[in-house]
Amino acid sequence: MNKTFRKIVGGALAVTALMGLAACGSKTEGDKAEGKTYKVGIVQFVDDASLNQIEAAIEAELDAKAKELGVTFDYTLYNGQGDATTLNQIGAELVGKGVDLIVPIATPAVKIMQSATEDTEIPIVFSAVSDPVGSGIVDALDAYFDSLTPSLLRGKRVLITAGPTYEKIDPVRFIGNYSTGKMGFAIAEECRRRGAEVVLVAGPVSQICHKAIRRVDVESCEEMFNAANEAMDEADIAVMAAAVADYRPAVLADRKIKREKTGAMTLDLLPTHDIAAALGAKKRDGQLLVGFALETDNAMVNAQEKLVRKNLDMIVVNSLQNEGTCFQSDNNKVTIMGHGFVEEYDKKPKSEVAKDIADQLEALLQS
Ligand code: CTP
């Protein structure tokens, strides 16, 4: 990796005095470098001492991003803390330097950079995370580079259900399953990356998602059903990745059931809503509905039957017979089936499976 880094001191005292502290450097992919060098102006909003402290962290984040994207960043880092005049001067200097993008961290900087670049084509990319250490910068750069990738999912409203549902027996016990939500969260992230507006209706899971995804946390099938139904009205695409419990106790005990008093017991169960089938029944022309099929045997026959019965446009089939896939795994091995097509994929990380699913969604949107 070819890296230079220097702080502007001495000869640039005028600049330093005006702008608090400015530092510049270059993050390069080195011999693997491909594509463009981006001149980036980063406007931080911390005091000089703090900026000094976090420079190394920012360097490291930019370094990783440059490697990942295969691009070079020539960056200038400013401390924009001060008054509006300071920020205006930073804006003018960045325009004068001919930077390719400006990443302002903090709202006052965003506004002033926007007005400073009004007559230029320079994009202002910003993150709602005003994290001075660098994740805010990386987040903004991610959004910018994602936006350069054309996708048919851009601007589409995508509803995704993910994770298990818990059906309460009493205040401390429930009927549930092993789903972690990883697959649904990976699809949500991939759709977001491709520019979709994502609503993620998530059962009880410990996954985290990007702040741009609208997450609705639910627990039971009833709650997931209500949230999904509401979001379906606005959705262009719905992906049912949740492992919904198929039964719920007929009676919910309001106190903990005591073993000693109860002895052997039988639970009366009632079927829950079939969320996918309900959305399939009300699907409008132009809406796409995707389901999953988790099977232990006769996978393709059962999946084909679900495709038709739930009025789906596509179904992602996974089998519990493939070791190291499905529940609690980071990998999955799927077959994607639609009306008139079947495609079988190798075992791969769920983030990659999500890309295959998003590609198939784009193919459906095109057809
Ligand atoms: N599904 C749903 N609501 C349910 C059950 C399933 O929305 N109550 C959805 C799942 O999210 C998945 C698809 O329906 O997209 C198929 O789920 P799966 O568990 O494979 O099938 P089931 O319909 O539950 O049928 P079975 O358990 O008999 O295989």
Side-chain angles (χ1 to χ4, degrees):
M1 187 185 67
N2 166 22
K3 141 175 144 180
T4 58
F5 185 80
R6 74 191 158 83
K7 269 190 209 166
I8 299 175
V9 286
L13 265 183
V15 174
T16 311
L18 275 174
M19 299 168 182
L21 179 83
C24 67
S26 168
K27 303 304 303 172
T28 313
E29 235 287 59
D31 48 1
K32 278 198 209 140
E34 54 187 47
K36 206 174 144 167
T37 295
Y38 289 87
K39 279 168 121 187
V40 185
I42 301 167
V43 186
Q44 274 290 3
F45 224 66
V46 292
D47 58 36
D48 290 356
S50 310
L51 193 59
N52 263 328
Q53 277 173 9
I54 60 179
E55 265 169 28
I58 292 172
E59 271 266 294
E61 298 256 24
L62 284 173
D63 191 26
K65 200 51 7 194
K67 278 201 171 77
E68 182 195 320
L69 297 169
V71 299
T72 301
F73 292 128
D74 269 327
Y75 69 93
T76 312
L77 179 62
Y78 291 91
N79 176 14
Q81 210 181 41
D83 53 19
T85 315
T86 309
L87 281 169
N88 274 312
Q89 276 161 332
I90 294 174
E93 167 151 335
L94 287 171
V95 171
K97 275 176 183 271
V99 291
D100 295 294
L101 2 145
I102 299 178
V103 187
I105 305 290
T107 321
V110 174
K111 290 199 177 119
I112 293 179
M113 294 308 126
Q114 276 168 339
S115 69
T117 52
E118 226 164 41
D119 300 328
T120 74
E121 302 275 292
I122 302 172
I124 306 291
V125 297
F126 57 93
S127 160
V129 185
S130 53
D131 174 2
V133 176
S135 64
I137 298 167
V138 167
D139 204 52
L141 289 173
D142 274 345
Y144 174 72
F145 285 100
D146 287 347
S147 76
L148 298 182
T149 317
S151 166
L152 290 174
L153 287 168
R154 186 162 303 286
K156 294 284 182 228
R157 286 162 302 186
V158 183
L159 156 67
I160 295 163
T161 64
T165 64
Y166 288 175
E167 311 301 326
K168 271 193 174 144
I169 299 170
D170 70 11
V172 296
R173 305 181 179 96
F174 60 83
I175 296 173
N177 59 62
Y178 294 119
S179 171
T180 57
K182 282 181 187 163
M183 193 64 248
F185 274 64
I187 299 167
E189 175 56 16
E190 187 57 29
C191 291
R192 180 205 66 79
R193 241 182 37 76
R194 295 185 190 206
E197 280 173 41
V198 180
V199 178
L200 176 60
V201 180
V205 291
S206 57
Q207 307 295 325
I208 50 166
C209 70
H210 194 280
K211 65 180 187 315
I213 293 173
R214 186 157 83 75
R215 174 174 181 166
V216 183
D217 285 306
V218 296
E219 185 175 294
S220 63
C221 172
E222 181 77 24
E223 289 168 2
M224 187 174 276
F225 176 76
N226 290 336
N229 250 300
E230 195 183 318
M232 185 66 174
D233 294 339
E234 304 283 309
D236 299 301
I237 298 167
V239 182
M240 306 284 98
V244 185
D246 289 313
Y247 293 93
R248 65 177 173 84
V251 177
L252 164 58
D254 57 0
R255 291 178 188 202
K256 189 177 177 200
I257 299 168
K258 301 305 280 180
R259 188 166 65 144
E260 303 225 328
K261 285 190 195 151
T262 313
M265 71 176 284
T266 307
L267 267 183
D268 278 335
L269 300 177
L270 294 174
T272 54
H273 300 283
D274 187 326
I275 303 170
L279 299 194
K282 72 173 205 176
K283 189 173 70 169
R284 297 188 305 269
D285 270 1
Q287 283 185 312
L288 293 178
L289 181 61
V290 179
F292 272 71
L294 174 61
E295 306 294 343
T296 52
D297 48 82
N298 277 334
M300 298 315 286
V301 174
N302 290 337
Q304 172 69 37
E305 181 273 324
K306 284 175 192 169
L307 181 75
V308 175
R309 176 165 52 86
K310 303 194 187 204
N311 194 22
L312 308 173
D313 298 283
M314 189 167 101
I315 191 157
V316 182
V317 193
N318 44 35
S319 168
L320 275 177
Q321 283 178 355
N322 295 320
E323 249 178 66
T325 66
C326 299
F327 286 152
Q328 296 182 316
S329 167
D330 288 327
N331 296 309
N332 214 349
K333 178 171 176 8
V334 304
T335 300
I336 301 182
M337 184 195 282
H339 298 281
F341 74 91
V342 179
E343 196 149 343
E344 203 182 327
Y345 296 87
D346 292 336
K347 176 176 165 182
K348 52 179 88 167
K350 285 182 175 169
S351 54
E352 295 298 312
V353 175
K355 289 183 185 158
D356 293 333
I357 293 169
D359 286 347
Q360 290 290 359
L361 280 174
E362 292 191 358
L364 278 184
L365 286 170
Q366 203 155 28
S367 64

